Amino acid sequence: MTTYNEITNNLLNDGAKEFYRFQGHKSFEYFDIRNNRFNNTTDHYVYFSNSKNHHYYFTIKRIKQLINTIVLKDSNYQITRKQLDTPSSFKHIKNIVFNSDKIKNLNSISLICDPVYYALIKENCINNYAKTFESGIERVDRKVYGGGYGITGPWLDLFNDLTYFSSYVRISSFDVVKLLNKMRRKSIQTNPLLIKDIIEAKQRNYNLSTNLYNDFHKYDIMNDLERICQEGLFLENSSLSKHPTKTIKQILNKYQGEREKILTAVNHKYHNL
């Protein structure tokens, strides 16, 4: 186990929150894997799963959409129960999928952030079909495996600034063929268990956010929170509404404590090599 993986395990055991994101096809690359940070240059919402099962469910949904609308677009085939059950059709589908150059840049992304961020978005989110203010936090798919959140603007900046580690694994055409085999064998198409083993069999190595090495990063966090307050991007009963100054100070103190703990653990590992 790598140093960062060991530290992330300890963080999660101590209450850190892990979010998940499928990126590829229609899920745009808002998270820059190479630079380990968000590209928050638009007003678009970026969506994250609240649980592994929702992430796996959504990943299957997007892969199936990619195959049906892009990969199999000019063929006589579609991912349907009938065609999966028909040996000749299934063979042709697998061959087209495996040899397609359209299945690329599909990634399962994981982000580990301070639990205070999760507490904030839980008390400031609104169901996406009943959203009443712009740039607020959307709660989506609430009834489907714990659902997820849609985040934009200062809330996305805050997510970036309170994220400690990120990781990703690639989903290849070979993985997609394995997924199709499971769909056919089990006669189901969106159950998270279909892709769980495929993704979890891959080594997920975590990267440390470079923000943690910046002694002045706490001021970026403070600025994010002040923007959220100034723009009224919170709900009436949230802690940011009732006690904004106190809440911001508590968040900054909590971040500083977590930052110091993480960097101490990294340095301890280095000196014990």
mmCIF file of all heavy atoms in Angstrom, residues 37-80:
data_model
loop_
_atom_site.group_PDB
_atom_site.id
_atom_site.type_symbol
_atom_site.label_atom_id
_atom_site.label_comp_id
_atom_site.label_asym_id
_atom_site.label_seq_id
_atom_site.Cartn_x
_atom_site.Cartn_y
_atom_site.Cartn_z
ATOM 1 N N ARG A 37 -7.162 18.921 -10.231
ATOM 2 C CA ARG A 37 -8.007 19.995 -9.726
ATOM 3 C C ARG A 37 -9.164 20.238 -10.697
ATOM 4 O O ARG A 37 -9.168 19.748 -11.822
ATOM 5 C CB ARG A 37 -7.220 21.282 -9.526
ATOM 6 C CG ARG A 37 -6.652 21.899 -10.785
ATOM 7 C CD ARG A 37 -5.933 23.219 -10.481
ATOM 8 N NE ARG A 37 -6.853 24.237 -10.013
ATOM 9 C CZ ARG A 37 -6.902 24.664 -8.755
ATOM 10 N NH1 ARG A 37 -6.104 24.185 -7.843
ATOM 11 N NH2 ARG A 37 -7.767 25.601 -8.399
ATOM 12 N N PHE A 38 -10.162 21.007 -10.240
ATOM 13 C CA PHE A 38 -11.317 21.333 -11.067
ATOM 14 C C PHE A 38 -10.990 22.456 -12.042
ATOM 15 O O PHE A 38 -10.194 23.350 -11.741
ATOM 16 C CB PHE A 38 -12.499 21.775 -10.201
ATOM 17 C CG PHE A 38 -13.020 20.704 -9.298
ATOM 18 C CD1 PHE A 38 -12.710 20.723 -7.952
ATOM 19 C CD2 PHE A 38 -13.808 19.678 -9.786
ATOM 20 C CE1 PHE A 38 -13.176 19.730 -7.099
ATOM 21 C CE2 PHE A 38 -14.277 18.693 -8.947
ATOM 22 C CZ PHE A 38 -13.959 18.714 -7.612
ATOM 23 N N ASN A 39 -11.624 22.398 -13.209
ATOM 24 C CA ASN A 39 -11.585 23.505 -14.159
ATOM 25 C C ASN A 39 -12.897 24.271 -14.002
ATOM 26 O O ASN A 39 -13.860 24.024 -14.721
ATOM 27 C CB ASN A 39 -11.453 22.982 -15.595
ATOM 28 C CG ASN A 39 -10.073 22.432 -15.868
ATOM 29 O OD1 ASN A 39 -9.088 22.973 -15.406
ATOM 30 N ND2 ASN A 39 -10.007 21.341 -16.611
ATOM 31 N N ASN A 40 -12.925 25.180 -13.068
ATOM 32 C CA ASN A 40 -14.176 25.895 -12.788
ATOM 33 C C ASN A 40 -14.217 27.195 -13.586
ATOM 34 O O ASN A 40 -14.106 28.293 -13.042
ATOM 35 C CB ASN A 40 -14.296 26.188 -11.288
ATOM 36 C CG ASN A 40 -15.686 26.692 -10.930
ATOM 37 O OD1 ASN A 40 -16.617 26.567 -11.712
ATOM 38 N ND2 ASN A 40 -15.816 27.257 -9.753
ATOM 39 N N THR A 41 -14.375 27.049 -14.898
ATOM 40 C CA THR A 41 -14.355 28.226 -15.767
ATOM 41 C C THR A 41 -15.703 28.492 -16.415
ATOM 42 O O THR A 41 -15.833 29.397 -17.237
ATOM 43 C CB THR A 41 -13.307 28.051 -16.879
ATOM 44 O OG1 THR A 41 -13.605 26.843 -17.614
ATOM 45 C CG2 THR A 41 -11.903 27.939 -16.295
ATOM 46 N N THR A 42 -16.718 27.712 -16.056
ATOM 47 C CA THR A 42 -18.045 27.903 -16.628
ATOM 48 C C THR A 42 -19.066 27.935 -15.505
ATOM 49 O O THR A 42 -18.748 27.712 -14.339
ATOM 50 C CB THR A 42 -18.407 26.773 -17.610
ATOM 51 O OG1 THR A 42 -18.672 25.573 -16.863
ATOM 52 C CG2 THR A 42 -17.283 26.508 -18.590
ATOM 53 N N ASP A 43 -20.320 28.191 -15.893
ATOM 54 C CA ASP A 43 -21.399 28.195 -14.916
ATOM 55 C C ASP A 43 -22.129 26.851 -14.868
ATOM 56 O O ASP A 43 -23.199 26.753 -14.284
ATOM 57 C CB ASP A 43 -22.408 29.307 -15.257
ATOM 58 C CG ASP A 43 -21.796 30.692 -15.105
ATOM 59 O OD1 ASP A 43 -20.926 30.840 -14.226
ATOM 60 O OD2 ASP A 43 -22.188 31.593 -15.861
ATOM 61 N N HIS A 44 -21.554 25.840 -15.504
ATOM 62 C CA HIS A 44 -22.190 24.527 -15.529
ATOM 63 C C HIS A 44 -22.137 23.866 -14.142
ATOM 64 O O HIS A 44 -21.223 24.120 -13.352
ATOM 65 C CB HIS A 44 -21.507 23.608 -16.539
ATOM 66 C CG HIS A 44 -21.788 23.976 -17.964
ATOM 67 N ND1 HIS A 44 -20.991 24.844 -18.666
ATOM 68 C CD2 HIS A 44 -22.782 23.596 -18.804
ATOM 69 C CE1 HIS A 44 -21.465 24.979 -19.887
ATOM 70 N NE2 HIS A 44 -22.548 24.238 -19.998
ATOM 71 N N TYR A 45 -23.103 23.010 -13.902
ATOM 72 C CA TYR A 45 -23.083 22.189 -12.693
ATOM 73 C C TYR A 45 -22.190 20.974 -12.928
ATOM 74 O O TYR A 45 -22.173 20.395 -14.016
ATOM 75 C CB TYR A 45 -24.500 21.731 -12.336
ATOM 76 C CG TYR A 45 -25.249 22.726 -11.486
ATOM 77 C CD1 TYR A 45 -25.872 23.822 -12.056
ATOM 78 C CD2 TYR A 45 -25.310 22.572 -10.105
ATOM 79 C CE1 TYR A 45 -26.541 24.753 -11.285
ATOM 80 C CE2 TYR A 45 -25.986 23.492 -9.318
ATOM 81 C CZ TYR A 45 -26.599 24.575 -9.911
ATOM 82 O OH TYR A 45 -27.264 25.491 -9.138
ATOM 83 N N VAL A 46 -21.462 20.581 -11.901
ATOM 84 C CA VAL A 46 -20.644 19.371 -11.932
ATOM 85 C C VAL A 46 -21.263 18.416 -10.925
ATOM 86 O O VAL A 46 -21.528 18.794 -9.774
ATOM 87 C CB VAL A 46 -19.178 19.675 -11.576
ATOM 88 C CG1 VAL A 46 -18.330 18.420 -11.717
ATOM 89 C CG2 VAL A 46 -18.630 20.785 -12.469
ATOM 90 N N TYR A 47 -21.483 17.159 -11.349
ATOM 91 C CA TYR A 47 -22.241 16.216 -10.523
ATOM 92 C C TYR A 47 -21.338 15.147 -9.923
ATOM 93 O O TYR A 47 -20.421 14.644 -10.577
ATOM 94 C CB TYR A 47 -23.361 15.585 -11.348
ATOM 95 C CG TYR A 47 -24.420 16.598 -11.727
ATOM 96 C CD1 TYR A 47 -24.314 17.333 -12.906
ATOM 97 C CD2 TYR A 47 -25.494 16.862 -10.870
ATOM 98 C CE1 TYR A 47 -25.260 18.294 -13.240
ATOM 99 C CE2 TYR A 47 -26.437 17.824 -11.195
ATOM 100 C CZ TYR A 47 -26.318 18.536 -12.377
ATOM 101 O OH TYR A 47 -27.254 19.500 -12.692
ATOM 102 N N PHE A 48 -21.633 14.815 -8.671
ATOM 103 C CA PHE A 48 -20.861 13.830 -7.930
ATOM 104 C C PHE A 48 -21.804 12.849 -7.241
ATOM 105 O O PHE A 48 -22.868 13.237 -6.755
ATOM 106 C CB PHE A 48 -19.991 14.517 -6.871
ATOM 107 C CG PHE A 48 -19.071 15.552 -7.434
ATOM 108 C CD1 PHE A 48 -19.481 16.877 -7.540
ATOM 109 C CD2 PHE A 48 -17.806 15.212 -7.868
ATOM 110 C CE1 PHE A 48 -18.637 17.838 -8.069
ATOM 111 C CE2 PHE A 48 -16.964 16.170 -8.415
ATOM 112 C CZ PHE A 48 -17.378 17.482 -8.506
ATOM 113 N N SER A 49 -21.386 11.604 -7.188
ATOM 114 C CA SER A 49 -22.166 10.584 -6.487
ATOM 115 C C SER A 49 -21.833 10.617 -5.001
ATOM 116 O O SER A 49 -20.672 10.809 -4.606
ATOM 117 C CB SER A 49 -21.867 9.195 -7.050
ATOM 118 O OG SER A 49 -22.378 9.070 -8.359
ATOM 119 N N ASN A 50 -22.867 10.372 -4.213
ATOM 120 C CA ASN A 50 -22.722 10.384 -2.764
ATOM 121 C C ASN A 50 -22.278 9.027 -2.216
ATOM 122 O O ASN A 50 -21.885 8.925 -1.063
ATOM 123 C CB ASN A 50 -24.068 10.789 -2.141
ATOM 124 C CG ASN A 50 -23.972 11.065 -0.670
ATOM 125 O OD1 ASN A 50 -23.012 11.674 -0.205
ATOM 126 N ND2 ASN A 50 -24.964 10.610 0.087
ATOM 127 N N SER A 51 -22.353 7.990 -3.051
ATOM 128 C CA SER A 51 -21.996 6.636 -2.617
ATOM 129 C C SER A 51 -21.385 5.871 -3.774
ATOM 130 O O SER A 51 -21.571 6.221 -4.947
ATOM 131 C CB SER A 51 -23.239 5.887 -2.116
ATOM 132 O OG SER A 51 -24.112 5.604 -3.209
ATOM 133 N N LYS A 52 -20.669 4.801 -3.446
ATOM 134 C CA LYS A 52 -20.093 3.957 -4.498
ATOM 135 C C LYS A 52 -21.184 3.347 -5.366
ATOM 136 O O LYS A 52 -21.058 3.280 -6.581
ATOM 137 C CB LYS A 52 -19.248 2.844 -3.878
ATOM 138 C CG LYS A 52 -17.876 3.270 -3.434
ATOM 139 C CD LYS A 52 -17.078 2.069 -2.951
ATOM 140 C CE LYS A 52 -15.679 2.485 -2.539
ATOM 141 N NZ LYS A 52 -14.884 1.324 -2.055
ATOM 142 N N ASN A 53 -22.266 2.877 -4.735
ATOM 143 C CA ASN A 53 -23.315 2.220 -5.511
ATOM 144 C C ASN A 53 -23.966 3.168 -6.517
ATOM 145 O O ASN A 53 -24.269 2.778 -7.644
ATOM 146 C CB ASN A 53 -24.375 1.625 -4.592
ATOM 147 C CG ASN A 53 -23.967 0.262 -4.071
ATOM 148 O OD1 ASN A 53 -23.038 -0.354 -4.598
ATOM 149 N ND2 ASN A 53 -24.637 -0.224 -3.043
ATOM 150 N N HIS A 54 -24.182 4.426 -6.110
ATOM 151 C CA HIS A 54 -24.743 5.376 -7.073
ATOM 152 C C HIS A 54 -23.730 5.649 -8.187
ATOM 153 O O HIS A 54 -24.104 5.764 -9.364
ATOM 154 C CB HIS A 54 -25.120 6.692 -6.399
ATOM 155 C CG HIS A 54 -25.764 7.666 -7.349
ATOM 156 N ND1 HIS A 54 -25.023 8.590 -8.077
ATOM 157 C CD2 HIS A 54 -27.057 7.833 -7.739
ATOM 158 C CE1 HIS A 54 -25.837 9.283 -8.858
ATOM 159 N NE2 HIS A 54 -27.073 8.851 -8.672
ATOM 160 N N HIS A 55 -22.472 5.735 -7.832
ATOM 161 C CA HIS A 55 -21.423 5.945 -8.834
ATOM 162 C C HIS A 55 -21.401 4.795 -9.841
ATOM 163 O O HIS A 55 -21.318 5.021 -11.057
ATOM 164 C CB HIS A 55 -20.078 6.062 -8.130
ATOM 165 C CG HIS A 55 -18.903 6.105 -9.053
ATOM 166 N ND1 HIS A 55 -18.764 7.059 -10.039
ATOM 167 C CD2 HIS A 55 -17.805 5.296 -9.153
ATOM 168 C CE1 HIS A 55 -17.631 6.856 -10.691
ATOM 169 N NE2 HIS A 55 -17.044 5.792 -10.188
ATOM 170 N N TYR A 56 -21.486 3.571 -9.345
ATOM 171 C CA TYR A 56 -21.470 2.414 -10.249
ATOM 172 C C TYR A 56 -22.728 2.391 -11.119
ATOM 173 O O TYR A 56 -22.646 2.111 -12.318
ATOM 174 C CB TYR A 56 -21.369 1.120 -9.446
ATOM 175 C CG TYR A 56 -20.099 0.982 -8.643
ATOM 176 C CD1 TYR A 56 -20.062 0.268 -7.453
ATOM 177 C CD2 TYR A 56 -18.914 1.581 -9.074
ATOM 178 C CE1 TYR A 56 -18.899 0.146 -6.723
ATOM 179 C CE2 TYR A 56 -17.742 1.466 -8.340
ATOM 180 C CZ TYR A 56 -17.743 0.742 -7.168
ATOM 181 O OH TYR A 56 -16.588 0.630 -6.436
ATOM 182 N N TYR A 57 -23.863 2.695 -10.516
ATOM 183 C CA TYR A 57 -25.122 2.755 -11.270
ATOM 184 C C TYR A 57 -25.042 3.802 -12.381
ATOM 185 O O TYR A 57 -25.395 3.537 -13.537
ATOM 186 C CB TYR A 57 -26.271 3.081 -10.304
ATOM 187 C CG TYR A 57 -27.492 3.701 -10.945
ATOM 188 C CD1 TYR A 57 -28.441 2.911 -11.589
ATOM 189 C CD2 TYR A 57 -27.698 5.081 -10.902
ATOM 190 C CE1 TYR A 57 -29.569 3.492 -12.187
ATOM 191 C CE2 TYR A 57 -28.813 5.669 -11.491
ATOM 192 C CZ TYR A 57 -29.743 4.858 -12.118
ATOM 193 O OH TYR A 57 -30.846 5.421 -12.712
ATOM 194 N N PHE A 58 -24.554 4.981 -12.044
ATOM 195 C CA PHE A 58 -24.482 6.064 -13.016
ATOM 196 C C PHE A 58 -23.446 5.757 -14.100
ATOM 197 O O PHE A 58 -23.636 6.088 -15.274
ATOM 198 C CB PHE A 58 -24.133 7.381 -12.317
ATOM 199 C CG PHE A 58 -24.208 8.581 -13.223
ATOM 200 C CD1 PHE A 58 -25.427 9.145 -13.547
ATOM 201 C CD2 PHE A 58 -23.058 9.138 -13.775
ATOM 202 C CE1 PHE A 58 -25.520 10.248 -14.391
ATOM 203 C CE2 PHE A 58 -23.125 10.224 -14.623
ATOM 204 C CZ PHE A 58 -24.363 10.788 -14.935
ATOM 205 N N THR A 59 -22.332 5.119 -13.724
ATOM 206 C CA THR A 59 -21.305 4.737 -14.680
ATOM 207 C C THR A 59 -21.863 3.770 -15.716
ATOM 208 O O THR A 59 -21.635 3.940 -16.930
ATOM 209 C CB THR A 59 -20.111 4.097 -13.955
ATOM 210 O OG1 THR A 59 -19.525 5.063 -13.065
ATOM 211 C CG2 THR A 59 -19.053 3.622 -14.944
ATOM 212 N N ILE A 60 -22.614 2.775 -15.270
ATOM 213 C CA ILE A 60 -23.240 1.819 -16.198
ATOM 214 C C ILE A 60 -24.210 2.545 -17.122
ATOM 215 O O ILE A 60 -24.253 2.300 -18.334
ATOM 216 C CB ILE A 60 -23.977 0.707 -15.416
ATOM 217 C CG1 ILE A 60 -22.977 -0.149 -14.638
ATOM 218 C CG2 ILE A 60 -24.783 -0.175 -16.369
ATOM 219 C CD1 ILE A 60 -23.624 -1.106 -13.659
ATOM 220 N N LYS A 61 -24.986 3.439 -16.547
ATOM 221 C CA LYS A 61 -25.971 4.195 -17.330
ATOM 222 C C LYS A 61 -25.286 4.994 -18.440
ATOM 223 O O LYS A 61 -25.749 5.008 -19.592
ATOM 224 C CB LYS A 61 -26.736 5.126 -16.379
ATOM 225 C CG LYS A 61 -27.875 5.895 -17.005
ATOM 226 C CD LYS A 61 -28.600 6.722 -15.941
ATOM 227 C CE LYS A 61 -29.686 7.588 -16.565
ATOM 228 N NZ LYS A 61 -30.376 8.419 -15.525
ATOM 229 N N ARG A 62 -24.190 5.664 -18.116
ATOM 230 C CA ARG A 62 -23.470 6.462 -19.108
ATOM 231 C C ARG A 62 -22.774 5.576 -20.158
ATOM 232 O O ARG A 62 -22.736 5.924 -21.338
ATOM 233 C CB ARG A 62 -22.446 7.353 -18.413
ATOM 234 C CG ARG A 62 -23.027 8.647 -17.869
ATOM 235 C CD ARG A 62 -23.342 9.606 -19.015
ATOM 236 N NE ARG A 62 -23.769 10.913 -18.554
ATOM 237 C CZ ARG A 62 -25.010 11.348 -18.556
ATOM 238 N NH1 ARG A 62 -25.972 10.563 -19.004
ATOM 239 N NH2 ARG A 62 -25.306 12.559 -18.133
ATOM 240 N N ILE A 63 -22.220 4.461 -19.738
ATOM 241 C CA ILE A 63 -21.568 3.561 -20.691
ATOM 242 C C ILE A 63 -22.599 2.981 -21.660
ATOM 243 O O ILE A 63 -22.354 2.911 -22.882
ATOM 244 C CB ILE A 63 -20.820 2.427 -19.950
ATOM 245 C CG1 ILE A 63 -19.587 3.002 -19.227
ATOM 246 C CG2 ILE A 63 -20.403 1.329 -20.914
ATOM 247 C CD1 ILE A 63 -18.867 2.003 -18.355
ATOM 248 N N LYS A 64 -23.731 2.575 -21.140
ATOM 249 C CA LYS A 64 -24.796 2.044 -22.000
ATOM 250 C C LYS A 64 -25.255 3.111 -23.000
ATOM 251 O O LYS A 64 -25.473 2.828 -24.182
ATOM 252 C CB LYS A 64 -25.963 1.582 -21.134
ATOM 253 C CG LYS A 64 -27.099 0.938 -21.909
ATOM 254 C CD LYS A 64 -28.229 0.515 -20.987
ATOM 255 C CE LYS A 64 -29.421 0.010 -21.802
ATOM 256 N NZ LYS A 64 -30.573 -0.322 -20.920
ATOM 257 N N GLN A 65 -25.384 4.352 -22.531
ATOM 258 C CA GLN A 65 -25.773 5.457 -23.401
ATOM 259 C C GLN A 65 -24.729 5.678 -24.492
ATOM 260 O O GLN A 65 -25.065 5.899 -25.665
ATOM 261 C CB GLN A 65 -25.950 6.721 -22.566
ATOM 262 C CG GLN A 65 -26.447 7.929 -23.338
ATOM 263 C CD GLN A 65 -26.514 9.162 -22.446
ATOM 264 O OE1 GLN A 65 -25.535 9.531 -21.810
ATOM 265 N NE2 GLN A 65 -27.682 9.786 -22.383
ATOM 266 N N LEU A 66 -23.459 5.630 -24.128
ATOM 267 C CA LEU A 66 -22.376 5.791 -25.091
ATOM 268 C C LEU A 66 -22.436 4.710 -26.171
ATOM 269 O O LEU A 66 -22.307 4.993 -27.368
ATOM 270 C CB LEU A 66 -21.031 5.735 -24.369
ATOM 271 C CG LEU A 66 -19.770 5.607 -25.234
ATOM 272 C CD1 LEU A 66 -19.610 6.815 -26.140
ATOM 273 C CD2 LEU A 66 -18.530 5.433 -24.357
ATOM 274 N N ILE A 67 -22.648 3.478 -25.749
ATOM 275 C CA ILE A 67 -22.682 2.373 -26.712
ATOM 276 C C ILE A 67 -23.866 2.515 -27.664
ATOM 277 O O ILE A 67 -23.727 2.400 -28.890
ATOM 278 C CB ILE A 67 -22.747 1.022 -25.965
ATOM 279 C CG1 ILE A 67 -21.448 0.787 -25.197
ATOM 280 C CG2 ILE A 67 -22.990 -0.124 -26.951
ATOM 281 C CD1 ILE A 67 -21.492 -0.423 -24.292
ATOM 282 N N ASN A 68 -25.041 2.788 -27.104
ATOM 283 C CA ASN A 68 -26.249 2.836 -27.942
ATOM 284 C C ASN A 68 -26.285 4.034 -28.884
ATOM 285 O O ASN A 68 -26.743 3.923 -30.021
ATOM 286 C CB ASN A 68 -27.502 2.839 -27.062
ATOM 287 C CG ASN A 68 -27.842 1.460 -26.540
ATOM 288 O OD1 ASN A 68 -27.415 0.452 -27.083
ATOM 289 N ND2 ASN A 68 -28.621 1.406 -25.465
ATOM 290 N N THR A 69 -25.810 5.187 -28.405
ATOM 291 C CA THR A 69 -25.955 6.409 -29.217
ATOM 292 C C THR A 69 -24.742 6.727 -30.081
ATOM 293 O O THR A 69 -24.861 7.462 -31.064
ATOM 294 C CB THR A 69 -26.233 7.628 -28.313
ATOM 295 O OG1 THR A 69 -25.129 7.825 -27.416
ATOM 296 C CG2 THR A 69 -27.517 7.423 -27.520
ATOM 297 N N ILE A 70 -23.582 6.185 -29.742
ATOM 298 C CA ILE A 70 -22.366 6.499 -30.492
ATOM 299 C C ILE A 70 -21.748 5.246 -31.135
ATOM 300 O O ILE A 70 -21.600 5.164 -32.358
ATOM 301 C CB ILE A 70 -21.302 7.166 -29.585
ATOM 302 C CG1 ILE A 70 -21.886 8.415 -28.900
ATOM 303 C CG2 ILE A 70 -20.055 7.504 -30.398
ATOM 304 C CD1 ILE A 70 -22.250 9.535 -29.846
ATOM 305 N N VAL A 71 -21.405 4.273 -30.313
ATOM 306 C CA VAL A 71 -20.671 3.101 -30.803
ATOM 307 C C VAL A 71 -21.512 2.262 -31.763
ATOM 308 O O VAL A 71 -21.030 1.817 -32.809
ATOM 309 C CB VAL A 71 -20.187 2.237 -29.620
ATOM 310 C CG1 VAL A 71 -19.476 0.979 -30.122
ATOM 311 C CG2 VAL A 71 -19.259 3.048 -28.719
ATOM 312 N N LEU A 72 -22.783 2.037 -31.430
ATOM 313 C CA LEU A 72 -23.658 1.194 -32.260
ATOM 314 C C LEU A 72 -24.573 2.017 -33.163
ATOM 315 O O LEU A 72 -25.503 1.479 -33.769
ATOM 316 C CB LEU A 72 -24.518 0.286 -31.369
ATOM 317 C CG LEU A 72 -23.765 -0.696 -30.472
ATOM 318 C CD1 LEU A 72 -24.750 -1.471 -29.582
ATOM 319 C CD2 LEU A 72 -22.922 -1.668 -31.303
ATOM 320 N N LYS A 73 -24.312 3.298 -33.258
ATOM 321 C CA LYS A 73 -25.206 4.212 -33.976
ATOM 322 C C LYS A 73 -25.479 3.775 -35.417
ATOM 323 O O LYS A 73 -26.611 3.820 -35.886
ATOM 324 C CB LYS A 73 -24.600 5.616 -33.967
ATOM 325 C CG LYS A 73 -25.451 6.663 -34.679
ATOM 326 C CD LYS A 73 -24.780 8.027 -34.639
ATOM 327 C CE LYS A 73 -25.610 9.063 -35.372
ATOM 328 N NZ LYS A 73 -24.948 10.401 -35.371
ATOM 329 N N ASP A 74 -24.464 3.354 -36.146
ATOM 330 C CA ASP A 74 -24.622 3.004 -37.555
ATOM 331 C C ASP A 74 -24.783 1.506 -37.781
ATOM 332 O O ASP A 74 -24.588 1.010 -38.900
ATOM 333 C CB ASP A 74 -23.416 3.521 -38.353
ATOM 334 C CG ASP A 74 -23.312 5.037 -38.296
ATOM 335 O OD1 ASP A 74 -24.367 5.694 -38.332
ATOM 336 O OD2 ASP A 74 -22.180 5.544 -38.197
ATOM 337 N N SER A 75 -25.125 0.781 -36.720
ATOM 338 C CA SER A 75 -25.337 -0.672 -36.849
ATOM 339 C C SER A 75 -26.812 -0.985 -36.631
ATOM 340 O O SER A 75 -27.632 -0.090 -36.415
ATOM 341 C CB SER A 75 -24.489 -1.417 -35.815
ATOM 342 O OG SER A 75 -25.054 -1.264 -34.517
ATOM 343 N N ASN A 76 -27.128 -2.251 -36.681
ATOM 344 C CA ASN A 76 -28.508 -2.696 -36.443
ATOM 345 C C ASN A 76 -28.691 -3.183 -35.010
ATOM 346 O O ASN A 76 -29.669 -3.874 -34.717
ATOM 347 C CB ASN A 76 -28.875 -3.821 -37.420
ATOM 348 C CG ASN A 76 -28.901 -3.355 -38.860
ATOM 349 O OD1 ASN A 76 -29.371 -2.253 -39.151
ATOM 350 N ND2 ASN A 76 -28.377 -4.185 -39.765
ATOM 351 N N TYR A 77 -27.742 -2.808 -34.145
ATOM 352 C CA TYR A 77 -27.767 -3.355 -32.792
ATOM 353 C C TYR A 77 -27.954 -2.256 -31.740
ATOM 354 O O TYR A 77 -27.636 -1.092 -31.966
ATOM 355 C CB TYR A 77 -26.472 -4.119 -32.511
ATOM 356 C CG TYR A 77 -26.203 -5.203 -33.519
ATOM 357 C CD1 TYR A 77 -25.228 -5.031 -34.508
ATOM 358 C CD2 TYR A 77 -26.927 -6.387 -33.503
ATOM 359 C CE1 TYR A 77 -24.987 -6.021 -35.446
ATOM 360 C CE2 TYR A 77 -26.694 -7.385 -34.435
ATOM 361 C CZ TYR A 77 -25.730 -7.188 -35.409
ATOM 362 O OH TYR A 77 -25.498 -8.172 -36.347
ATOM 363 N N GLN A 78 -28.472 -2.683 -30.593
ATOM 364 C CA GLN A 78 -28.623 -1.833 -29.405
ATOM 365 C C GLN A 78 -28.493 -2.720 -28.183
ATOM 366 O O GLN A 78 -28.674 -3.939 -28.253
ATOM 367 C CB GLN A 78 -29.994 -1.145 -29.394
ATOM 368 C CG GLN A 78 -30.173 -0.050 -30.438
ATOM 369 C CD GLN A 78 -29.512 1.247 -30.028
ATOM 370 O OE1 GLN A 78 -30.016 1.992 -29.203
ATOM 371 N NE2 GLN A 78 -28.353 1.545 -30.619
ATOM 372 N N ILE A 79 -28.134 -2.101 -27.064
ATOM 373 C CA ILE A 79 -28.071 -2.852 -25.817
ATOM 374 C C ILE A 79 -29.499 -3.013 -25.295
ATOM 375 O O ILE A 79 -30.044 -2.125 -24.626
ATOM 376 C CB ILE A 79 -27.192 -2.147 -24.767
ATOM 377 C CG1 ILE A 79 -25.791 -1.930 -25.307
ATOM 378 C CG2 ILE A 79 -27.138 -2.969 -23.478
ATOM 379 C CD1 ILE A 79 -25.065 -3.192 -25.689
ATOM 380 N N THR A 80 -30.102 -4.128 -25.633
ATOM 381 C CA THR A 80 -31.437 -4.479 -25.139
ATOM 382 C C THR A 80 -31.359 -5.904 -24.617
ATOM 383 O O THR A 80 -30.451 -6.672 -24.981
ATOM 384 C CB THR A 80 -32.497 -4.414 -26.251
ATOM 385 O OG1 THR A 80 -32.195 -5.403 -27.244
ATOM 386 C CG2 THR A 80 -32.539 -3.027 -26.894
#
